[in-house]
Amino acid sequence: MTTAANTAVPTLIGSVQRALRLLEAVGTHRDGAPAKQLAREAGLPLPTAYHLLRTLTHEGYLRRENGVFLFGEAAERLIDGGAVQNRRTAMTDSLARWRDAIGVPVYCAIYREGEIELIAVADTPAHPAVDEWAAFRETGHAHAIGQCLLRQLDEDARGDHLDRHPVQPLTRHSVRDRESFLERLRSTERMEPVIERQEYALGTICAAIPITVGTTVATMAISMPLDQQDRLLPAVEQLRNEVADLLRSLVLSISI
């Protein structure tokens, strides 16, 4: 016997449904459309359409220009947010392919607005990512990701970062002070891989590859247990050799 709970009709808000139909109608016109046309396409009485269009315009989902309605800033944010999410998903899928091919966790990070930002990680239970026990953005001097990003900056930007996030050793293998860290950066080529051994986390080694897309400073990195260190350099070379292919899928995502 069917119960009332199983046959209950969900409560639907008619005004919301009508507003959504109007937004859908607007979306089919790149150059906008007048109220009468939108009302007709949405199957709404003109007075109802006018009322909803005014409300949607007031809330920023539409804007009116030269007698036609177009998407407003609020609607565009929703659209852009979906596009950003799609690009992030594509980037994570790309990193996952390299994770599976190399058999190690793969990271992608950028330097944005004066901070280190880890934007994607692909790992597995068998090969977990490094535990962020100390905030990555504040300890860039101690891990391969941060060292690689900071090395790509000019001296002023690098100095500003270290003023805000001073060099402090995290393990007995970490660089001890600012001058030692800067000397290390100066002694290596800007676009060479960075190798870091137990400076951020004991028992872990990492490598990061510099990536520049336009003005965006970025890096891809891998990590593995110390007892597998003989695999590190071959894994780095594998990633370097294929980085051009990976960039083709990341180029639209790297600066989100």
Side-chain angles (χ1 to χ4, degrees), residues 217-231:
V217 172
T219 183
M220 288 176 53
I222 59 175
S223 65
M224 60 184 62
L226 178 63
D227 60 10
Q228 299 179 23
Q229 61 180 323
D230 58 327
R231 297 181 54 217

Side-chain angles (χ1 to χ4, degrees), residues 109-244:
I110 64 173
Y111 195 80
R112 175 161 52 189
E113 297 181 356
E115 299 293 350
I116 294 166
E117 184 175 341
L118 185 66
I119 59 175
V121 180
D123 65 349
T124 66
H127 302 288
V130 176
D131 180 38
E132 189 177 352
W133 71 272
F136 284 149
R137 68 189 303 164
E138 298 174 5
T139 57
H141 60 279
H143 50 73
I145 287 173
Q147 292 174 21
C148 189
L149 293 173
L150 293 174
R151 193 176 61 181
Q152 296 178 69
L153 302 179
D154 61 37
E155 290 189 9
D156 289 342
R158 189 183 303 133
D160 173 73
H161 182 92
L162 296 178
D163 287 342
R164 291 179 287 109
H165 303 301
V167 174
Q168 298 178 357
L170 300 185
T171 75
R172 63 180 181 272
H173 302 282
S174 302
V175 66
R176 310 309 295 178
D177 54 62
R178 176 171 176 151
E179 187 52 42
S180 299
F181 178 63
L182 292 175
E183 179 58 31
R184 176 192 293 184
L185 297 187
R186 287 193 290 265
S187 66
T188 56
E189 295 293 329
R190 179 174 177 270
M191 296 308 291
E192 285 297 305
V194 172
I195 307 297
E196 171 259 300
R197 292 179 171 86
Q198 303 191 88
E199 295 181 49
Y200 178 80
L202 293 176
T204 301
I205 56 177
C206 303
I209 298 171
I211 299 171
T212 300
V213 180
T215 60
T216 299
V217 172
T219 183
M220 288 176 53
I222 59 175
S223 65
M224 60 184 62
L226 178 63
D227 60 10
Q228 299 179 23
Q229 61 180 323
D230 58 327
R231 297 181 54 217
L232 185 64
L233 293 181
V236 171
E237 286 305 308
Q238 183 176 355
L239 197 59
R240 288 186 73 189
N241 290 338
E242 301 295 338
V243 72

